[in-house]
Amino acid sequence: MNDYSEKFEKMRIAGKLASQTLDMLTKNIKEGISTAQIDKLSYEFIRDNGGYSAPQYYRGFKKSLCTSLNHVVCHGVPSEERILKDGDALNVDVTAIINEHYGDTSRMFCIGKSPVKLKNLINVTHESMMKAIKILKPGIKLGDIGFEIQSYVEEKGFSVVRDFCGHGISTIFHEPPNILHYGKKNTGMDLRPGMTFTIEPMINAGKFPVKMLNDGWTAVTKDKSLSAQFEHTLGITENGYEIFTESAKGYFKPPYL
Ligand code: MF3
Ligand code: CO
Ligand code: CO
């Protein structure tokens, strides 16, 4: 026992609900479904399992999760009009709150046939997140996380979005510290046991600048290049880390089924 074991127990439950939601959505995310239908399935699943979808009414957001397609970097708003079609690449970002604790996780989904460049972008994005997760332990610094992601992604010829970052998370959806996905080794705050936060790199096939659409939420790549993202909610333990949002079904990156 330690002073954060109760917090971690609750983070496990919230993380599990968020990851189970993505697992449940996996079979439904296919050509012909609208992003609003994905939103509804997720909202109902989380509600029926005793939780609530945190994005709903969050700072005026009108849906219960984010659906970010192709050149959308993040915070895409589900819509009845947007029907998934062959070749689409979709990030679905679910945040569940249950017992006052949040679980926040996102995965990429590919519709039909994907070009090699897209598959490569998705693999590099997932790998960059996992590489950063694997170094987590008390005593490393926040800058080490960013360095791990940025150096790997840039070596592959892609770029790391600067305008959005990971975040502390527990009984508050977004709390300090910011988790930058770029940075320098041995800089920034020390990681300590009991810290809980997300790592959620947004990686662009082209350059990193983003542009906001007029809806005030949707962020797109300025150069219209493809963008990919994955997200996990994690905790720092005495000698390493715990991922709260791992898929029980092994659905960590596409292809899933
Ligand atoms: N889930 C997003 C994150 O990873 C935040 C979405 S807030 C919303 O932090 F309002 F855009 F839904
Ligand atoms: Co997040
Ligand atoms: Co999220």
Side-chain angles (χ1 to χ4, degrees):
M1 282 292 269
N2 49 53
D3 57 2
Y4 56 85
S5 57
E6 270 187 43
K7 173 188 172 185
F8 272 39
E9 192 45 52
K10 290 178 176 163
M11 292 301 285
R12 252 171 234 136
I13 291 165
K16 186 171 169 193
L17 179 54
S19 73
Q20 281 176 330
T21 306
L22 288 174
D23 289 348
M24 176 280 295
L25 290 173
T26 304
K27 61 181 176 300
N28 297 292
I29 297 178
K30 53 182 183 219
E31 196 168 350
I33 192 175
S34 72
T35 52
Q37 284 171 282
I38 295 169
D39 176 74
K40 182 162 186 279
L41 286 168
S42 171
Y43 181 85
E44 290 173 353
F45 182 84
I46 291 173
R47 182 199 61 199
D48 293 348
N49 284 281
Y52 186 75
S53 294
Q56 186 83 50
Y57 304 126
Y58 178 78
R59 297 177 181 227
F61 196 77
K62 295 207 165 42
K63 293 290 179 181
S64 78
L65 51 64
C66 299
T67 48
S68 302
L69 273 157
N70 304 324
H71 74 300
V72 177
V73 170
C74 64
H75 303 165
V77 185
S79 126
E80 300 289 352
E81 280 91 68
R82 187 54 167 91
I83 311 288
L84 298 184
K85 55 179 197 289
D86 188 58
D88 276 339
L90 176 69
N91 174 277
V92 179
D93 188 344
V94 168
T95 314
I97 176 170
I98 180 164
N99 289 324
E100 280 95 56
H101 286 65
Y102 291 83
D104 189 6
T105 184
S106 83
R107 295 179 205 149
M108 295 300 296
F109 296 87
C110 296
I111 315 307
K113 249 184 110 51
S114 318
V116 174
K117 173 127 184 179
L118 170 62
K119 286 189 201 161
N120 187 22
L121 175 67
I122 289 174
N123 285 335
V124 167
T125 304
H126 185 265
E127 186 61 17
S128 75
M129 174 180 72
M130 293 315 298
K131 276 179 174 294
I133 290 173
K134 284 173 186 155
I135 66 163
L136 298 174
K137 60 178 182 184
I140 76 151
K141 291 175 189 295
L142 283 182
D144 298 332
I145 296 174
F147 176 81
E148 204 63 34
I149 294 168
Q150 183 181 14
S151 56
Y152 175 70
V153 163
E154 291 181 354
E155 169 201 308
K156 299 291 180 185
F158 299 135
S159 65
V160 177
V161 169
R162 308 295 204 263
D163 292 15
F164 300 94
C165 57
H167 48 92
I169 183 170
S170 58
T171 56
I172 296 175
F173 190 172
H174 295 107
E175 63 185 10
N178 282 340
I179 310 295
L180 304 186
H181 302 114
Y182 59 95
K184 293 190 168 56
K185 261 189 184 158
N186 214 26
T187 62
M189 182 197 278
D190 272 347
L191 299 193
R192 300 177 310 278
M195 283 178 70
T196 50
F197 56 86
T198 72
I199 298 183
E200 50 179 300
M202 286 140 273
I203 307 303
N204 296 348
K207 296 191 166 61
F208 65 73
V210 307
K211 192 179 91 181
M212 295 302 299
L213 297 190
N214 289 332
D215 62 9
W217 282 103
T218 311
V220 300
T221 55
K222 206 168 174 186
D223 63 8
K224 306 250 171 54
S225 65
L226 289 172
S227 188
Q229 180 179 27
F230 287 87
E231 176 176 23
H232 272 313
T233 299
L234 316 127
I236 302 299
T237 61
E238 296 309 307
N239 42 34
Y241 62 88
E242 178 173 342
I243 303 177
F244 299 125
T245 47
E246 210 152 51
S247 168
K249 296 205 157 172
Y251 294 169
F252 50 95
K253 67 168 180 142
Y256 299 111
L257 301 168

